[in-house]
Amino acid sequence: MKSLISILDLSTDEILELISTANDIIANPDKYREACRYKKLATLFFEPSTRTRLSFEAAMLELGGSVLGFSEANSSSAAKGESVADTAKTVSCYADIIAMRHFKEGAPYVAAQNATIPVINAGDGGHNHPTQTLADLLTIYREKGGFENITIGFCGDLKFGRTVHSLIQALSRYSGLNVVLISPVELKLPSYIKKDILKENKIPYTQTTSLEEAIPDLDILYMTRVQRERFFNEEDYLRLKDSYILDPPKLKNAKSDLAIMHPLPRVNEISTAIDSDPRACYFKQVLNGKYIRMALILKLLQEAAK
Ligand code: NCD
């Protein structure tokens, strides 16, 4: 694997290897402080981000490397009409590895075809977000001890939520998975994911509009934000944005070891009163995201040096 575009570019063994490196980084941070000395990460962000970009930058700095890049399309040559392919070729002359976020589905793939250094997809439109999935997988592994026999509920914008799409792809490879899809009718999971991933792998799934009814069965509840920037009209967004708000009364019948996850940013989907509940895992996900990105940068740079 030279680049990471989709979570399915990683085998299940490679995912376990990344999780084990991340756990080792958490246990022995000093061992890794110089691991990427003199190496440079370019963060090419054509779409806004707080967590993902800063997480990549913090990851590289904690490995002893340095970072360069931009955080909005307007401040890059894309504003002059440069193609993603040319940007990738150019940045290959300056850096050792690229993390790219783009509003266009497939842009990081095009970059990877043209760059001479590894490219990591840091989110492409409503499509994929494999490094958020790695953060989610590390969190599930640390909270649940593995990926087998899990009932997971995805709640909110399952249509445009790229983190949901990538996580379903990743979990589909483990046995005993049960999926509960909780969304307004207008924001249901795209049928290509139901067909190519859930049905193809014979994964049992149910669809509902009721969070309350779904909660008691869940081991993991993965909440998501309604993706305003991908809506065609503001009226629909305003009508759907507060479809689900997780608050303490809704958790009344939840399992005592439920893991509540959210890729963040949160808008209203989770009341802040839940933050102090021991089942809230979303800020752990943020921290885990930095460690797993450290593991990924290390692995891709080691492979590129071979
Ligand atoms: C997610 C994303 O960018 O898709 N955020 C993130 O990377 N943590 C989720 C979101 O924006 O809703």
Side-chain angles (χ1 to χ4, degrees):
M1 184 211 28
K2 187 176 153 280
S3 290
L4 178 66
I5 304 303
S6 152
I7 194 67
L8 297 177
D9 295 340
L10 291 166
S11 68
T12 50
D13 281 349
E14 285 174 316
I15 286 179
L16 275 186
E17 179 199 322
L18 289 173
I19 287 178
S20 129
T21 308
N23 280 329
D24 194 52
I25 295 172
I26 294 169
N28 309 292
D30 285 347
K31 218 170 102 183
Y32 294 89
R33 294 242 148 93
E34 303 274 302
C36 290
R37 207 157 166 218
Y38 306 125
K39 296 289 180 193
K40 284 172 282 176
L41 164 76
T43 51
L44 313 184
F45 276 59
F46 294 86
E47 204 187 56
S49 161
T50 307
R51 255 156 308 278
T52 306
R53 186 171 56 83
L54 296 187
S55 174
F56 269 112
E57 295 190 1
M60 192 53 164
L61 295 176
E62 286 190 31
L63 290 167
S66 37
V67 290
L68 64 166
F70 53 83
S71 56
E72 49 183 324
N74 289 346
S75 61
S76 79
S77 281
K80 300 182 190 167
E82 187 174 51
S83 68
V84 166
D86 283 1
T87 305
K89 283 183 191 155
T90 302
V91 175
S92 297
C93 303
Y94 304 139
D96 300 283
I97 185 164
I98 291 173
M100 174 183 280
R101 168 167 290 194
H102 208 287
F103 47 86
K104 263 199 195 148
E105 282 86 357
Y109 174 78
V110 172
Q113 298 296 309
N114 288 280
T116 53
I117 57 177
V119 174
I120 302 172
N121 178 3
D124 61 329
H127 195 215
N128 276 173
H129 194 348
T131 63
Q132 178 63 44
T133 301
L134 288 173
D136 299 342
L137 291 174
L138 177 60
T139 306
I140 294 172
Y141 192 89
R142 288 174 71 86
E143 296 300 313
K144 298 284 168 201
F147 306 120
E148 320 251 282
N149 302 317
I150 282 176
T151 297
I152 179 164
F154 291 95
C155 177
D157 187 347
L158 309 189
K159 181 176 180 186
F160 297 116
R162 56 193 171 193
T163 64
V164 171
H165 305 164
S166 288
L167 185 54
I168 290 179
Q169 288 183 338
L171 290 175
S172 68
R173 300 195 285 197
Y174 303 95
S175 66
L177 179 70
N178 257 294
V179 173
V180 185
L181 303 168
I182 309 151
S183 75
V185 188
E186 295 90 331
L187 298 178
K188 283 210 286 208
L189 191 73
S191 47
Y192 81 91
I193 298 179
K194 277 186 240 163
K195 183 167 158 283
D196 298 348
I197 309 290
L198 296 176
K199 289 184 185 149
E200 178 74 20
N201 294 293
K202 300 193 170 49
I203 294 163
Y205 73 93
T206 51
Q207 296 191 88
T208 175
T209 53
S210 166
L211 175 58
E212 282 90 335
E213 276 171 27
I215 274 188
D217 295 329
L218 304 179
D219 302 307
I220 300 171
L221 172 58
Y222 194 97
M223 296 294 296
T224 62
R225 158 182 85 86
V226 175
Q227 306 277 301
R228 180 180 205 159
E229 65 276 33
R230 311 215 191 281
F231 272 67
F232 292 112
N233 79 62
E234 184 73 1
E235 257 168 52
D236 284 348
Y237 169 73
L238 294 173
R239 184 167 52 80
L240 294 169
K241 73 183 175 65
D242 291 329
S243 300
Y244 302 101
I245 299 179
L246 186 67
D247 55 11
K250 289 211 184 70
L251 282 178
K252 205 167 81 195
N253 298 316
K255 289 187 182 172
S256 58
D257 63 348
L258 171 73
I260 304 167
M261 298 176 65
H262 190 308
L264 303 179
R266 115 177 103 182
V267 185
N268 285 326
E269 313 79 52
I270 303 183
S271 133
T272 51
I274 305 276
D275 296 1
S276 53
D277 188 302
R279 292 171 288 190
C281 293
Y282 28 95
F283 289 109
K284 288 187 198 168
Q285 272 168 276
V286 176
L287 194 56
N288 289 336
K290 181 183 71 179
Y291 293 124
I292 202 83
R293 287 182 177 99
M294 289 172 78
L296 178 67
I297 292 170
L298 264 176
K299 180 178 164 65
L300 289 174
L301 286 177
Q302 275 162 5
E303 281 181 12
K306 276 182 194 160

